Amino acid sequence: MTAESIKKSFIDIFQTEPVLVKSPGRINIIGEHTDYNGGLVMPAAIDKGVYVAISKRNDQEIHLYAESFQSTCISSVAAIKKTELSWANYILGVANEFVQRGHQLSGFNLYIYGNVPLGAGLSSSAAVECATALALQYINGLSVSKMELAWLSQKAEHTFAGVNCGIMDQFAAVFGKKDHAMMLDCRSMEYEYIPLKLEGYKFVLLNTNVKHSLSDSAYNERREQCNKGVSWIKSHHPEVHYLRDADLAMLEEHVKPKDENVYLKCKYVVNEIERVKKAAQALKNGDLKELGALMFQTHEGLSKDYEVSCKELDFLVNQVKGLAYVLGARMMGGGFGGCTINVVKEQEIDALVDKLSSLYLNEFGLKLDAYIVETGIGAEVI
Ligand code: ADP
Ligand code: MG
């Protein structure tokens, strides 16, 4: 759908002119499972996004319509509650966060459409939240900083969607910049724009179309293992609050003798944080080969040490290893399914996707989906 057709659909339903807001999905180039360890991540906003068309109402009611679900939801700013409709919760959760923070909201009509694939790990959920947050801020004339929009969107995902996510996705949706990645420090929330010069290459996402049930329990277990490592180090080095503050020597001395498995998990995190710094330097040097090599290393670490990969993700990464026109590849996101992110020479993309699709179908009996993404800008009023 185009911006015009979204406006038209809104008018058909609500008989009034809307304001249109767009917020992007995101990729994470490198820096996986580092956010909750106070570490570094390197997301970039993409050209696919979620559009919200919105208008104020004269009453307190909230009327929502989701194009992707052909579904309606009605609520009220005076009594916002979670609903059975999961898509609506992302929107109501954001409205609720404004109210919780003491902002006055009028009732509103909201129409939502998006072309970020749902549940693929490109963070369509943060796109919904951040588009809603910017839309509500705009029509109510509220003074809320960009960082606050990201925080309240994240909080909405915790409270109304029940997903205990970090801040990266919402940060990327709000602060994204065309042709740039962002290196975000999850300990200080400082960030730096890193120019992405992909000359002749593109990011290609390959969706395994699986989500293994281990995903949530393993996530919680990894967080505990990281915390354990930190607590063992902390008794000797009180300045260490996160794995971000630790180094390999500390892990060797205080974690390895206690628990080899916890040691491997912590080692992955400490190495990954270093890789993000190296990746930023590689991009500044225009060295895409080095970036790609780091991505392969990340996958190796996630698969062998951190143990959050799965056979489908490993298969896709192994298939592209050694191909001269694929500079790098790794699983992206929490693990146990979702997408791999690949840096592929433009002219080779179609043939590669064709070849991998049939190999993947043969091996797992599953369809492979591919998304070729460009970088995009952060949430904006159109
Ligand atoms: P991801 O963020 O990786 O895409 P999530 O499971 O976190 O996956 O979020 C997906 C959910 O977000 C969808 O199931 C839906 O509830 C909501 N959502 C995403 N895009 C849209 C959309 N265009 N319209 C309505 N709801 C959407
Ligand atoms: Mg999500």
Side-chain angles (χ1 to χ4, degrees):
M1 286 178 93
T2 61
E4 275 320 303
S5 64
I6 291 165
K7 276 194 175 174
K8 190 176 168 301
S9 297
F10 180 94
I11 294 167
D12 286 346
I13 298 169
F14 297 113
Q15 278 83 48
T16 177
E17 276 285 327
V19 168
L20 196 59
V21 172
K22 184 188 176 198
S23 181
R26 64 103 190 89
I27 53 175
N28 186 26
I29 298 168
I30 198 162
E32 213 64 80
H33 285 280
T34 51
D35 56 347
Y36 53 84
N37 288 301
L40 303 168
V41 292
M42 199 193 282
I46 58 174
D47 53 347
K48 297 183 196 311
V50 165
Y51 293 82
V52 153
I54 194 168
S55 71
K56 267 183 161 179
R57 293 177 60 92
N58 297 322
D59 56 23
Q60 293 211 298
E61 291 187 5
I62 298 174
H63 289 227
L64 308 177
Y65 183 83
E67 182 63 45
S68 309
F69 296 91
Q70 306 267 304
S71 165
T72 305
C73 175
I74 295 180
S75 180
S76 161
V77 289
I80 304 175
K81 283 194 258 341
K82 269 203 228 179
T83 74
E84 303 283 290
L85 294 168
S86 58
W87 66 265
N89 285 333
Y90 295 93
I91 298 164
L92 296 173
V94 169
N96 180 59
E97 278 310 311
F98 277 105
V99 174
Q100 293 302 317
R101 285 165 163 73
H103 295 293
Q104 288 287 331
L105 292 187
S106 71
F108 59 93
N109 301 313
L110 186 153
Y111 172 96
I112 187 159
Y113 163 78
N115 57 15
V116 184
L118 309 189
L122 299 184
S123 214
S124 66
S125 60
V128 171
E129 292 147 9
C130 295
T132 303
L134 181 59
L136 288 175
Q137 178 203 21
Y138 187 81
I139 63 165
N140 290 286
L142 307 173
S143 82
V144 179
S145 71
K146 283 175 85 170
M147 197 57 98
E148 190 67 18
L149 288 179
W151 286 122
L152 68 82
S153 294
Q154 179 206 21
K155 189 76 191 298
E157 182 137 351
H158 291 180
T159 55
F160 269 53
V163 179
N164 230 332
C165 57
I167 190 65
M168 173 174 73
D169 299 350
Q170 291 79 9
F171 170 83
V174 171
F175 288 89
K177 190 167 160 182
K178 178 91 184 132
D179 296 325
H180 287 75
M182 294 157 279
M183 183 162 66
L184 172 67
D185 182 329
C186 299
R187 183 174 61 186
S188 66
M189 290 306 290
E190 283 167 10
Y191 59 94
E192 184 186 345
Y193 287 107
I194 314 278
L196 264 180
K197 292 188 279 300
L198 287 176
E199 283 126 18
Y201 286 84
K202 284 209 157 113
F203 286 113
V204 179
L205 285 294
L206 298 173
N207 192 349
T208 59
N209 285 311
V210 297
K211 185 176 196 289
H212 294 292
S213 56
L214 227 63
S215 165
D216 292 346
S217 61
Y219 179 81
N220 292 332
E221 193 191 2
R222 293 300 169 276
R223 291 192 72 144
E224 274 167 33
Q225 289 166 317
C226 293
N227 289 341
K228 222 179 234 175
V230 168
S231 71
W232 291 338
I233 296 170
K234 205 183 173 109
S235 50
H236 303 271
H237 301 273
E239 73 282 9
V240 172
H241 300 288
Y242 299 101
L243 283 176
R244 170 69 181 284
D245 311 318
D247 59 32
L248 291 176
M250 293 176 187
L251 298 180
E252 284 282 335
E253 199 178 343
H254 306 299
V255 182
K256 195 170 186 195
K258 280 208 158 77
D259 188 324
E260 179 74 23
N261 190 26
V262 171
Y263 167 73
L264 282 180
K265 303 295 173 275
C266 295
K267 188 182 78 165
Y268 161 77
V269 172
V270 170
N271 283 333
E272 178 70 354
I273 293 168
E274 283 310 304
R275 275 191 289 269
V276 179
K277 293 180 199 162
K278 287 183 191 160
Q281 196 52 53
L283 282 173
K284 287 175 191 167
N285 298 341
D287 189 349
L288 281 181
K289 269 203 171 132
E290 169 70 4
L291 173 75
L294 291 163
M295 290 168 70
F296 278 125
Q297 286 172 28
T298 293
H299 186 80
E300 186 81 2
L302 287 166
S303 181
K304 302 264 164 59
D305 292 343
Y306 214 62
E307 296 185 292
V308 291
S309 187
C310 61
K311 57 185 190 307
E312 294 86 355
L313 290 165
D314 287 345
F315 178 84
L316 290 176
V317 171
N318 285 334
Q319 287 299 328
V320 301
K321 237 180 220 169
L323 298 178
Y325 52 89
V326 181
L327 296 184
R330 66 178 194 84
M331 54 157 278
M332 191 178 82
F336 302 101
C339 291
T340 63
I341 175 171
N342 303 263
V343 184
V344 188
K345 196 168 203 146
E346 250 172 274
Q347 301 93 297
E348 307 286 346
I349 294 173
D350 291 345
L352 177 69
V353 169
D354 279 351
K355 184 180 112 187
L356 289 177
S357 297
S358 73
L359 287 172
Y360 190 71
L361 184 67
N362 249 328
E363 186 78 12
F364 300 106
L366 287 167
K367 183 168 179 288
L368 184 73
D369 285 317
Y371 320 115
I372 301 162
V373 299
E374 309 270 342
T375 58
I377 54 174
E380 56 168 350
V381 178
I382 297 174

